[in-house]
């Protein structure tokens, strides 16, 4: 007996067991349609609905084969479009889902067998799994790197550079087998004739089919870090390193001292009391604030416009005067020109007049500090003109390669004697050159003492902690002449000089700020100025009167011990002096 | 006064071999004070036989004919055992010993690290001392020389290697302005105990740029010392002395001498930086030379001895300052001087030495000082021409014969 479709749900399939039901389509009303492929031996309609639903829903848990099971098991439902509407719902959807899955799978397989780039073009490269892995840094797990053999042996460098130039061995292996393109090489296929990426020492280099030159300059210049605006007001939301009242007052007092010292020495030269002088007017903030951010163990390699660093560290006005007069109290024993200070006690290396030769020296000192693992760095100063010297480029490159903790502070003051920066270089200043050598750089407003302090402070920490060089370009202006042998009004307008001196004066800006904190007053200012001036004039007077070093100092210190030829030559000089005493200066003792 | 000096001269001929050994063993490690050294000489009796050769130099059969062209070192009885090695190995040994002895000594230069140096002088050092103490630098001689100077000012003792001396022309700025001057201009506050070394001289077809003689360019720089090594013995000794010296020292090696083999003592020794070496004592003529030319001279000396001459050969070793003491004593003995050098005619070491001898010992000369040097041309590449650019033994023999007429 065949039951109708609308049988009561409690129909017991076992009762109507018929192993091979074949419901005839034109006898719908009397045809026996079972929901499952097992027919009368399969599930009931109710149970089927349940299963169909479950399979359908679980298929979404990335199990598309459950959908296939649905279609397969409930095939009769699919076949007979009007049978079992509830089950059909799920089964049809499963069918759709499975078809979509099949389509995707075949598309993927087909892609690999035909060739990704040909089908997709350049975007293919971003899709492939090994490139994705690469970008996520997941490659080379468990494979030994074939990078430069010395990387294994470099134990003394505190920070080994990351393994560069390492290649994915699987892909490299596949490249040589590019001719054998099989469906089975999923994810490892690379089209031999169309490499998108080249492994080059230093890392991967992507190719581009467009002729694209890197522009010679960015549309916008590198912004300049500053904390105090032109009027000395703190800019809102500015990041800076906080200074205590004591430090801030010392910074300001030293800036004033430097200014007064420069003016008095300059006047002394003009009066004929000194032979030569070079001022640092306009660059006081760079001098003092950068020195304030360093520790006494940091070694300084100056150019010649950084006496403020010595001043900060405790060089007295008398000591400055002694060097300028070259008297016997001068630590340089009267051998160098004025302003060529040096003090091993204060870790300030004797100024060598040649431009930029101190840069490689600084790298060497940093290398020495690195070897000794000292908590100190080397700091070197130079001007915009100095960046044209070969030594600048070599030193930066060396510092980057050696990972030496050195701060390169460039005082970009606009002029190299009479050469403006537009005739010195065509790049966006000096800061962009750091990138070329792999050096972190920053551009700072050199006339903002607080910004200078913060920048140097931060840079120093980075340099020592990460054992790397840092380039700081401080924008400023050389208010004074290049030296007493120069008259800068011959090549620049006095209006320009005046403007920088008044509107961008580093002292007045910083003074406004410390006064706003209640740390300074007019009274303190006038007290300081009169005291320093008095001290300065006294120092000058004393230094002028002090005796010059003995003649033997002309021949000593050339070597550790004077060799015979020098002793002979000294003897000759003394003989000459004896025979012509009237030509010999009276203030140089024999 | 003069007889005493002559006497000292006579004493030195017999004592000369001992003197050169004296300097090697007795000198204290860091003393390079000349006044100490000069006290060694003994004033002996007069030597009437020494004077008046007259216009003709007859072979002096009354004196023992010295058959050996090279000074023998049997006199060093204290050195019975030793080990044999090549010159570049001797340099390496000296360097290694100094690096062991003083942790401040470091090496920097191109390819000195794991490559071991272009002439293998720093071989094995990077493995032993690490990459920081044996530093491979990028290619910028001025920069790594400057770096060495800065490191020296902060307490290290760098040994800067120029791959070829000619490349150090790029470092001239740092060597002259900073290395030579900073000790002086800083008032003695900063010392620069660097050693700058490298191979120079005319090699085998290395081309003009790689065959330069930098000693002639550097000799004027005040504040530096220059020495030239010629044997494994003095190479090691000079290397060690240079490293221990507080002055900047430029050590000139020669490309063709790196494979010379010699037995050197096992114990620690240094060679005095300001001293010349008596290679072969003699009577008739003083031949002053250094570096590779020493071997050409010794070859010529063999011929000369066969012809009956008795040349005194001195390897001056110290190019700046000259050891005028040893040279002077020799001149006072023989009265004839021949300088054989590899430098160019104009402005070379020979030119300076000629001037110095003429100035100081003019009265003792019986003939003008003769100087054999290379021509004032860039060294040609062609092997045959290159040979003619360098002084050959035959020319030396001719010159001696001419001087001794």
């Amino acid at each position: 007996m065949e039951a109708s479709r609308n049988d009561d749900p409690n129909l017991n399939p076992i009762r109507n067991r018929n192993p091979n039901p074949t419901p005839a389509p034109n006898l719908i009303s009397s045809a026996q349609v079972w929901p499952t492929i097992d027919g009368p031996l399969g599930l009931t309609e109710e149970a089927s609905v349940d299963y169909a639903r479950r399979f359908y829903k679980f298929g979404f848990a990335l199990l598309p084969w459950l959908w296939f099971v649905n279609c397969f098991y409930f095939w009769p439902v699919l076949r007979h479009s009007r049978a079992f509407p509830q089950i059909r719902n799920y089964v049809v959807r499963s069918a759709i889902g499975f078809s979509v899955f099949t389509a995707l799978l075949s598309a993927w397989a087909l892609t690999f067998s035909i060739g990704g780039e040909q089908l997709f073009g350049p975007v293919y490269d971003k899709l492939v799994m090994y490139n994705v892995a690469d970008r996520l840094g997941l490659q080379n797990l468990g494979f030994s790197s074939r990078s430069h053999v010395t990387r294994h042996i470099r134990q003394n460098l505190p920070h080994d550079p990351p393994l560069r130039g390492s290649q994915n061995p699987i892909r490299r292996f596949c490249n040589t087998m590019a001719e054998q393109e099989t469906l089975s090489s999923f994810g490892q296929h690379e089209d031999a004739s169309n490499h998108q990426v080249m492994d080059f020492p230093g890392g991967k280099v992507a190719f581009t089919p467009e002729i694209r030159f890197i522009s010679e300059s960015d549309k916008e210049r590198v912004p300049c870090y500053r904390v105090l605006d032109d009027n000395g007001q703190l800019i809102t939301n500015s990041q800076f390193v906080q200074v205590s009242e004591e430090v801030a007052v010392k910074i300001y007092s030293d800036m004033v001292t430097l200014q007064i010292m420069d003016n008095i020495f300059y006047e002394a030269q003009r009066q004929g009391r000194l032979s030569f002088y070079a001022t640092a007017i306009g660059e006081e903030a760079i001098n003092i604030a950068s020195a304030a951010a360093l520790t006494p163990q940091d070694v300084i390699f100056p150019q010649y416009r950084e006496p403020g660093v010595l001043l900060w560290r405790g060089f007295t006005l008398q000591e400055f005067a002694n060097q300028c007069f070259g008297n016997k109290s001068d630590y340089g024993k009267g051998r160098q020109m004025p302003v060529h200070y040096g003090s091993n006690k204060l870790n300030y290396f004797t100024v060598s007049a040649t431009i930029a030769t101190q840069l490689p020296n600084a790298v060497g000192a940093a290398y020495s500090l690195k070897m000794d693992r000292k908590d100190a760095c080397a700091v070197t100063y130079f001007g915009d003109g100095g960046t044209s010297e070969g030594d600048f480029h070599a030193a930066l490159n060396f510092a980057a390669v050696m990972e030496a903790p050195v701060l390169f502070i460039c005082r970009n003051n606009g002029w190299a004697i009479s050469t403006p920066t537009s005739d010195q270089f065509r790049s966006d200043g000096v800061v962009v050159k750091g990138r070329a050598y792999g050096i972190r750089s920053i551009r700072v407003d050199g006339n903002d003492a607080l910004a200078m302090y913060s920048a140097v402070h931060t840079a120093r920490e980075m340099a020592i902690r990460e054992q790397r060089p840092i380039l700081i370009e401080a924008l400023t202006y050389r208010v004074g002449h290049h030296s007493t042998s120069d008259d800068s009004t011959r090549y620049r307008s006095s209006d320009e000089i005046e403007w920088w001196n008044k509107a961008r004066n580093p002292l007045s800006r910083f003074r406004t700020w410390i006064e706003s904190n209640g740390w300074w007053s007019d009274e303190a200012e006038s007290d300081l100025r009169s005291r320093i001036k008095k001290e300065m004039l006294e120092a000058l007077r004393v230094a002028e009167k002090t005796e010059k070093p003995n003649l033997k100092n002309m021949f000593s210190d050339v070597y550790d011990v004077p060799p015979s030829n020098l002793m002979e030559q000294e003897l000759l000089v003394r003989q000459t002096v004896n025979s012509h005493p009237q030509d010999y200066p009276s203030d140089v003792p024999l | 006064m003069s007889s005493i000096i002559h006497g000292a001269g006579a004493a030195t001929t017999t004592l000369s071999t001992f003197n050169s050994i004296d300097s090697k063993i007795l000198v204290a490690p860091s003393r390079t004070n000349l006044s100490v050294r000069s006290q060694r000489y003994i004033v002996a009796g007069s030597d009437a036989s020494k004077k008046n050769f007259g216009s003709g130099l007859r072979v002096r059969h009354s004196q023992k004919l010295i058959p050996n062209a090279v000074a023998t070192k049997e006199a060093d009885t204290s050195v019975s055992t030793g080990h044999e090695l090549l010159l570049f190995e001797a340099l390496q040994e000296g360097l290694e010993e100094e690096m062991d002895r003083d942790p401040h000594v470091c090496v920097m230069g191109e390819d000195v690290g794991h490559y071991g140096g272009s002439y293998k002088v720093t071989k094995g050092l990077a493995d032993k001392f690490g990459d920081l103490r044996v530093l491979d630098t990028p290619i910028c001689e001025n920069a790594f020389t400057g770096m060495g100077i800065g490191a020296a000012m902060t307490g290290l003792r760098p040994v800067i290697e120029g791959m070829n001396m000619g490349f150090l022309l790029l470092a001239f700025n740092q060597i002259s302005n900073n290395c030579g001057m900073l000790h002086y201009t800083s008032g003695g506050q900063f010392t620069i105990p660097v050693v700058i070394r490298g191979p120079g001289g005319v090699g085998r077809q290395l081309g003009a740029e790689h065959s330069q003689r930098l000693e002639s360019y550097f000799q004027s720089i005040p504040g530096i010392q220059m020495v030239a090594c010629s044997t494994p013995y003095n190479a090691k000794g000079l290397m060690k002395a240079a490293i221990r010296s507080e002055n900047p020292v430029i050590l000139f090696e020669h490309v063709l001498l790196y494979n010379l083999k010699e037995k050197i003592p096992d114990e620690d020794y240094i060679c005095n930086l300001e001293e010349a070496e008596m290679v072969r004592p003699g009577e008739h003529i003083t031949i002053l030379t250094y570096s590779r030319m020493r071997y050409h001279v010794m070859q010529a000396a063999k011929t000369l001895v066969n012809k009956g001459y008795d040349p005194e050969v001195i390897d001056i070793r110290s190019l700046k300052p000259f050891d005028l003491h040893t040279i002077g004593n020799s001149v006072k003995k023989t009265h004839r001087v021949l300088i054989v050098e590899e430098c160019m005619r104009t402005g070379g070491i020979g030119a300076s030495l000629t001037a110095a001898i003429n100035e100081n010992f003019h009265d003792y000369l019986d003939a003008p000082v003769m100087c054999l040097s290379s021509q004032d041309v860039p060294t040609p590449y062609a092997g045959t021409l290159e040979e003619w650019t360098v002084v050959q033994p035959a020319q030396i023999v001719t010159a001696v014969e001419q001087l001794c007429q």
Side-chain angles (χ1 to χ4, degrees), chain B residues 25 73 76-82 233 263-267:
Chain B
I25 294 179
K73 287 204 179 64
D76 327 349
T77 47
S78 55
V79 189
S80 48
T81 57
Y233 182 87
K263 198 172 208 190
I264 63 168
D266 287 326
E267 71 261 13

Side-chain angles (χ1 to χ4, degrees), chain A residues 150 153-158 299 301 331-333 335-336 340 342-345 348-352 354-358 360-365 367-368 370-372 390-391 394-395 397-398 401-402 553-561 563-565 568, chain B residues 30 32-34 106-108 114 127 129-140 142-151 153-156 173-174 177-178 180 182-190 221-225 245-247 320-322 360:
Chain A
T150 57
I153 320 178
R154 286 191 184 225
Q155 291 141 359
N156 284 355
L157 295 174
V299 288
F301 285 84
Y331 300 132
K333 297 184 190 161
R335 293 166 179 151
Q336 258 289 18
H340 289 60
S343 165
N344 57 350
K345 196 165 37 115
Y348 186 94
F349 283 73
T350 305
V351 174
S352 175
T354 43
I355 300 288
T357 54
Q358 73 276 12
N361 292 349
V363 178
Y367 160 76
S368 168
K370 183 186 167 91
M371 276 243 262
D372 293 341
D391 275 346
N397 188 38
F398 268 62
V401 170
M402 305 293 153
N553 284 303
M554 184 169 142
F555 297 92
S556 62
D557 291 331
V558 181
Y559 298 97
D560 53 352
V561 170
S564 59
N565 62 328
E568 209 179 282
Chain B
S30 52
T32 52
N33 194 336
L34 293 178
C106 56
V107 182
M108 52 184 77
H114 291 276
D127 288 330
F129 296 106
D131 276 334
L132 218 49
R133 268 183 91 183
V134 185
L135 190 66
D136 270 328
T137 65
I139 305 179
C140 186
N142 207 27
F144 65 71
T145 308
M147 210 177 125
I149 293 167
M153 285 163 88
T154 30
L156 291 184
N173 188 14
Q174 289 284 348
N177 279 324
N178 289 350
L182 271 168
H183 181 67
Y184 183 78
T185 58
S186 68
Q189 292 183 85
F190 299 106
I221 302 175
I224 56 156
Q225 271 188 274
S245 165
E246 288 302 313
N247 297 318
K320 183 183 169 83
F322 292 132
N360 289 305

Side-chain angles (χ1 to χ4, degrees), chain A residues 13 20 38 126 155 176 209 272 290 301 328-329 351 375 390 443 457 473 488 519 521 546 557 566 588:
Chain A
N20 292 311
D38 288 338
K126 297 202 186 79
Q155 291 141 359
T176 62
S290 64
F301 285 84
K328 72 168 195 257
S329 312
V351 174
D375 179 22
R443 169 175 275 166
H457 190 273
E473 180 188 14
S488 57
W519 297 337
S521 62
T546 311
D557 291 331
L566 284 186
V588 182

Side-chain angles (χ1 to χ4, degrees), chain B residues 1 38 43 79 105 107 125 153 179 184 191 219 231 233 253 264 280 286 320 349 375 396 402-403:
Chain B
M1 181 73 170
S38 60
V43 176
V79 189
V105 181
V107 182
L125 296 181
M153 285 163 88
C179 188
Y184 183 78
T191 56
Q219 62 177 323
T231 65
Y233 182 87
E253 302 152 14
I264 63 168
R280 182 191 185 282
T286 300
K320 183 183 169 83
I349 295 287
Q375 304 86 356
I396 302 173
Q402 201 180 332
L403 266 181

Side-chain angles (χ1 to χ4, degrees), chain A residues 108-120:
Chain A
W108 186 52
L110 221 60
T111 304
F112 275 96
S113 65
I114 293 176
E117 282 102 65
Q118 282 174 11
L119 282 180
F120 287 109

